[in-house]
Amino acid sequence: MIMALYRLTGRLCRAVSQTRSLGTAAVEAEPPASGTRAIFRTVQQDPAHHSEQDLGQYYTLPPDHVCSVFPHGLPRHFQLQMKTFNETCVMVREPALELISHLKKADYSKPALRYLLYGVTGTGKTMTLCHALHYCSTQGWVVVHIPDAHLWVKNCKELIPSSYNSSRLDQPILASQWLKNFGITNKHFLSKIKTTKTYMWTKRESTEEGQPLGELLEKGLTRIKSSSDVMGALLRELRLQCSKPQDEGSGAFRLVVAVDGVNALWGRTTLRRENKNKVEPEELTVVQNLRKMLKNDWCGGAIITSLSQSGSLFTPRLAYLPHELLGKEGFDSLDPFIPVPVPGYSEKEFESCYQYYIDRKWLQHSQSHTEEGKKELIFLSNRNPAVFEKLCAAL
Amino acid sequence: MAAFTATLLKPWTPRVLQIRWSRYNPYYLEPEPRKEVYSTPETELTPEQLKERELKSVRPIKAAPPVVHSSVFSDPMISKFINMMMKGGNKILARNIMLQTLENIKRKQVEKYHKAPDAEKAGIECNPYVIFHQALANCKPVIGLVTIQRGSRHYQVPTPLTDNRQRFVAMKWMIAECRENKHRRTLMDEKLAQELLAAFANKGPVVKKKFELHKMAEANRAFAHYRWW
């Protein structure tokens, strides 16, 4: 019955049939050519035009988009998959479509809306976030993407006391890496946005007012010691200039702040000072700056966040609800937000994923192509995307 | 003193409780892992099978050993290999290494497949199970050497090997090679994947060892008459 539904939607979409190129990125809608389109791939490659018709189907991201929008954004297992299959395919799912429709219809003269993606481990929250970010990037927004906030509160080798505020700690290497990736993602905005205030990094170094953001970035990359402060300044500039109405020359731009694993900002850290005292997240400059960004006191953009238990510290393994992972303090700071639940695969989505793996030669075991094998896979994975991927890896 | 005597009088419980015993009372029945047996309705069973089913509802059943599977994806050769790789009873680790090895093989082959031009695609084998079985088949020696004493001298006499012995020797060589001749930092699954792919293409140290054994057997052909079985 599911296959019949698929054939029906396939016939409806066959108005513009597209040749499936092996190994390279799919081209935009072409005149009807020979070769049939696979049932699990969608014609529409632009995330702005994805609709309910494309639910459960895969769309391909062109390689140059991937390099520019996600220099550090995609999860590790997805990067391996990209390398193996020689293409980047993301499934269009309901939470992502919901998020994108909210982004399209929101009023950007009001304060920024906060969206929170939550769900059990492995259901696809990070991939939904990446889908929404791809949409924002194609619409020309400025993207501030923190791929995993948990990496900032654990395993940091270099903690130096901040020059700006003596009670806080800086993380120079982390901040400089992030600045580099930010530069890659938002290359075209670096010359357009100008600073509004003079910043003194040390007694001898400063950045004047009216300098383009590219200068700020370079300062952060060359002087690694003050890179955390540079990051704070950059975020402040973006926040101020985004809220201003259309200005002469600077041009209105929309800002999207995407944070994955936002529960790290209000949890506990495993970092310790040199005198072996524990470090709270408030004492880290980068966390403090990010918390300011997540407050909805600026307008002209959106804040998309997602919870994550898998990298978090001192949280029970089965916790996934916002209140459990954020704690009272985090929940109150993020309140009010729009919660977006991310469930596991539905029957149609599972079928689509299964066909995709067979097509890409990933499911090789002879028994996995049979009905019995498929039933066993559904039973073992309970339609959880991450568990299904892990099972298929060995088959 | 009183506390010490109290510990002696406490009922003794073993520290590690066995879940699967190998010695059972004779009235325990064997477990049945096959799914087809349970799905046949009562009308299709013979009277003996019906009687067996009735017995199962009364008698206790032995615990199923870990080798027995009801999954369609289980492979006895892979299970044997995992058991041979296991150290100290750590089956979980051995199994994970094996699954990671299969994944590594598949990744390398699938990557090669997608990057190859259309003409070469048919020649690239992507199924890690096929590669595993073929690689071990390529490593199996056909003939082996046995030490026989005649007088005071010991001779290496060529003998045919049974199926089981061939399989065992191939697996043993593969595991020993991967354990001993690898760099300190390479993981077992990476090294195993490399060696299995090499053996699949009839290259690599394990296949070389097999050929050397064949050559030795050929060289000692004269002593074949010393074999009396």
Side-chain angles (χ1 to χ4, degrees), chain A residues 22-23 80-81 83-86 359-368 372-374 376-377 392-395, chain B residues 35 70-75 99-100 102-103 106-108 110-115 118 121 125-129:
Chain A
L22 290 160
L80 274 177
Q81 217 182 41
K83 192 164 155 259
T84 312
F85 298 161
N86 216 13
D359 171 70
R360 290 276 97 192
K361 307 273 179 230
W362 191 232
L363 273 177
Q364 284 284 331
H365 201 279
S366 49
Q367 286 289 327
S368 61
E372 281 282 332
K374 195 161 146 207
E376 190 165 325
L377 285 172
C392 294
L395 286 176
Chain B
K35 284 185 222 165
S70 67
S71 154
V72 294
F73 301 118
S74 63
D75 187 351
L99 295 179
Q100 192 63 43
L102 293 169
E103 190 188 327
K106 194 163 57 156
R107 248 181 229 285
K108 286 189 188 164
V110 169
E111 212 179 313
K112 219 161 74 172
Y113 179 90
H114 286 306
K115 290 199 175 126
D118 276 340
K121 277 192 184 188
E125 177 60 57
C126 292
N127 192 338
Y129 293 84

